Amino acid sequence: MSLFHASDRIPPGLDRQAAGIRLLPFLYGLTLFVSALLLFSIQPMFAKMVLPKLGGAPAVWSVAMVFFQTVLLAGYAYAHLLNRLLQSRRAAMFHMALVGLTAMALPISIAPGWSAPPSEGTALWLFGLFACSIGLPFFTLSASAPLLQSWFAASGHRQAGNPYVLYAASNLGSFAALFAYPIAIEPLLTLKAQAAGWSFGFAGFVLLLAIASLFTSGAVPAAAPASAQDEAGAGAVQRMRWIGLAAVPSGLVIAVTAHLTTDIAAAPFLWVLPLAIYLLTFVAVFRERPWIAHANVVRLVPFVVAPLAVSLIGGDKVFWLTVIALNLVAFALLTLMCHGELYRRRPSPRRLTEFYLCTSLGGVLGGAFAGLLAPQLFNDNYEYPILVALAVLCMPGFFAGGIRKAATELWPWLLPSAVLVLAWCMIRPQLSAALELPFQAGLALLAAAMLFQRQKMTRFFALVVLSFVFTGLWRPGMAPIETARSFFGVHRVADVSGGKARILYHGTTIHGAQRLRNDDGTAVVGSPSPLTYYYAQGPLAEAIDVARMTHGALGRVAVVGLGTGSLACHRKAGEQWTFFEIDPEVIRIARDPRLFTFLSNCAADATVVAGDARLTLEASPDRYDLIVLDAFSSDSIPAHLLTREAMAGYLARLSPGGVIVAHISNRHLDLAPVVANVAQSLGLVSFLREDDQAGEFMTTFASNARVVAMARSADDTGRVAEQWRPLFPDPKSSLWTDDYSNILGIMLRMKFGW
């Protein structure tokens, strides 16, 4: 596509004047860079501010992303309207007035009046919180990017014919912010210091914008009338392509982030990694010479989609680092492909703001599907494979012969997937665990078939769909019973080991198990025995027994986190146990005797308080002899439950001589130094037991656990003080507070010993 030259629309005198200002591209590029730097540093910063209000749920970032994309669309619409109605100099004056109004709303903070989220409509509540707190700053910065590019296009500068290259500067600033936040900003600065630094950065942006506005043209409209050829090139079909090519990567960035954060932590460094890759793809392709040739990207896509399709749904993620790498590489290539197609179909600069408006609309639609609509439509994370399949449809040449021809070629290859779905719905057959090896061999053959058919787009797409259906419905050794989804995640109930036990798991982490049959096949009768981390010889059971022995008897006990209700069967007669659980679906599952009977058999009269424990436990009028912290979201422990302020709240509800027991098992994070530092800051003693006695899970259904016991005095912990390892403050780890936490640091320390 040939681009219009500045001389086609700028008077010669003005053109010569603008061409003489050699630093104008640098000025506009720097202003765009700073604008994007501020825009994308506010995202993880404010999301971290509100995370404690939502129980540390990974869905907080998904909803936040939808909010950011929606406001981005509003900012682009405002820029498009401003360009249509006003000359660039008048538009600059109007926008500077908006920037001044925004400065009056700083510093960034949570808007007053937003305390606790409601039990229903959590996503909508969170959307409103973001709008009231940072809606205006985000809107103002969002509009600045297209406005600056359009002003540059109308400046008369000799390089104004292709303002799209400035988009790379904008996305480079975005990438820099997302890279700097987990590496430098979060580990070094408290949230209060981050907000203050952001305000200083905004002041610098205002200065740059004011200087840039001086070079706008007062004689030429920023959006001149387009030619008939340009009108025809940007018709309804072309706009739909822009929207679609922007929507798929936008949905994918939310889906892949949710997939990755489920098993580690809802933490900024994991939020920003996929988003940084997403933005870096714009930098890579929105340029005259892309970093990677578009044709090479298209050739590479099948080689990452094939292994992803056979591993995305179902199965244990044993090699988690490899799985993370595969997901990120596939996401990067699919996004590069979609954005490469988007740039290839860009219009002339005359339609620049319209182009960005359409791409922003696509971003909102993709984000809304993955972040808001999918959790309401699906009981599992089906949006991720759906978006991967849609990305395959975006490959160039898929519809070269028209939609009707593609559909005619496609439907025979989709029949196997339809047959598998129908068979599962009608008879729900279960695959024995003995079929695991043939099952894996079948997946390998399926991946090979995809690669052999990669030149035939319709066949490749059908095989991708077949892989998702096959791995999603058929899992050897596991009989699905129920799947439930809430704002806080997807919870699955399944029978394992030929029906010997039933488990509840979230992501790849089991949160409770109940034995249904003995080894001889007879049904288990009577009260169930706690399993997994809660088995009778484990450290959690020992800590509870020791607290009971030390006190002579336990009066009131508070348990943060319900799971299947396994801990209820450690209760003794006369004790009053209260469970605090944020997820209503977990409460429903634990209370349903058709699924698990721990609560109904062992503590039918126990109180279950719905809501975040930071709020509900601190609001309780009671004092407890024992407080057990056992809250998990898959394998991640919400960080806001382990801060100094959180522990002080628990301590305020602890009776004299009481004990706090924290379950800190985690495959990726060493939380013992964090707990030790927090305990020491409050004058508590702490002791650690690391379990290694559980044995093989599929045989014993028991799991090893890491548990910390804390008390005001070592005497309050009884024999724990003698038999468990004492914890001391760790100078290498900083004290976690509501204003500061560093998950990346403890993760690197556990993996590499740093």
Side-chain angles (χ1 to χ4, degrees), residues 569-587:
C569 288
H570 286 289
R571 189 185 77 156
K572 299 295 184 182
E575 298 175 353
Q576 299 183 39
W577 283 48
T578 302
F579 292 86
F580 297 84
E581 172 60 50
I582 195 172
D583 195 331
E585 283 299 321
V586 171
I587 296 175

Side-chain angles (χ1 to χ4, degrees), residues 482-508:
E482 182 174 326
T483 302
R485 187 172 188 173
S486 70
F487 180 83
F488 303 95
V490 177
H491 310 284
R492 300 176 179 90
V493 179
D495 287 350
V496 296
S497 295
K500 286 184 179 179
R502 178 167 296 167
I503 62 173
L504 169 67
Y505 65 104
H506 176 204
T508 60

Side-chain angles (χ1 to χ4, degrees), residues 10 16 42 54 87 139 141 150-151 180 209 212 226 270 311 346 361 405-406 508 512 520 541 551 601 645 719 729:
I10 304 295
R16 286 192 298 271
I42 197 177
L54 278 303
Q87 294 176 343
F139 173 82
L141 290 170
S150 65
W151 297 346
L209 186 67
L270 284 173
S311 63
R346 71 195 184 281
L361 176 60
K405 181 181 178 182
T508 60
D520 59 5
H551 280 78
N601 279 4
E645 291 84 353
R719 72 168 187 265

Side-chain angles (χ1 to χ4, degrees), residues 511 559-566 579-581 586-587 590 599 608 630:
H511 291 295
V559 181
V560 176
L562 179 60
T564 58
S566 301
F579 292 86
F580 297 84
E581 172 60 50
V586 171
I587 296 175
L599 272 183
V608 179
D630 187 43

Side-chain angles (χ1 to χ4, degrees), residues 90-111:
R90 292 181 180 272
M93 293 174 61
F94 187 93
H95 189 60
M96 285 300 300
L98 177 64
V99 170
L101 181 64
T102 303
M104 297 173 62
L106 300 180
I108 299 299
S109 62
I110 295 177

Side-chain angles (χ1 to χ4, degrees), residues 119 142 183 244 569 682:
S119 56
S142 298
I183 301 299
C569 288
L682 295 171

Side-chain angles (χ1 to χ4, degrees), residues 34 59 148 180 211 348 353 373 398 400 417 419-420 424 457 517 549 627 684 710 715:
V34 174
L148 282 163
I211 298 174
S348 76
T353 54
L373 189 59
F398 196 99
S417 298
V419 170
L420 279 180
W424 187 85
M457 291 277 74
R517 297 187 176 278
M549 292 170 56
I627 297 177
L684 302 177
M710 293 166 281
D715 294 337

Side-chain angles (χ1 to χ4, degrees), residues 419-431 473-474 479-480:
V419 170
L420 279 180
V421 172
L422 185 62
W424 187 85
C425 291
M426 293 180 62
I427 59 178
R428 290 181 178 259
Q430 307 301 329
L431 299 183
L473 299 181
W474 307 73

